[in-house]
Amino acid sequence: MVESFIEQYPAIQVALRDPRIKKAMDRDSKCEDFVDTMKVLYTSTIAVSSDKSATAGQILPILDKLKTKFEVKDDDSAFKRAIKEKVWADLSHPYSVCT
């Protein structure tokens, strides 16, 4: 699923910037919330996977950034809140020893 998203990410970005599509999406911004929330995860994945062997010096700052990004805020929609909670639960579980 994530691979499909990564493949489609450029098309999603273009679609989100198209005023005709954006106007229709203003009524329901779930797609926009999803892309905004997951963008940092995509960027982090690319950064880590570009090296053959990532070190703790690379991983720990990325995890801190992810933790900040996936903290639930008061103004988050229910959809965005659910994404953040699920993603952070999945990310933090294997790394609970490090944090």
Side-chain angles (χ1 to χ4, degrees), residues 67-83:
K67 183 177 182 180
T68 302
K69 177 67 177 182
F70 288 104
E71 285 179 353
V72 175
K73 296 181 177 71
D74 292 337
D75 62 339
D76 287 341
S77 65
F79 178 75
K80 197 169 192 174
R81 181 182 301 265
I83 291 172

Side-chain angles (χ1 to χ4, degrees), residues 4-5 19 21 39 47 51 56 60-61 68 74 76-78 80 84 90 95 97:
S4 296
F5 175 75
I21 296 172
K39 184 187 279 186
D51 291 334
L60 294 177
T68 302
D74 292 337
D76 287 341
S77 65
K80 197 169 192 174
K84 286 182 172 185
D90 289 347
Y95 304 108
V97 176

Side-chain angles (χ1 to χ4, degrees), residues 45-60:
T45 302
I46 297 298
V48 171
S49 64
S50 66
D51 291 334
K52 289 185 179 184
S53 57
T55 63
Q58 292 172 301
I59 301 295
L60 294 177

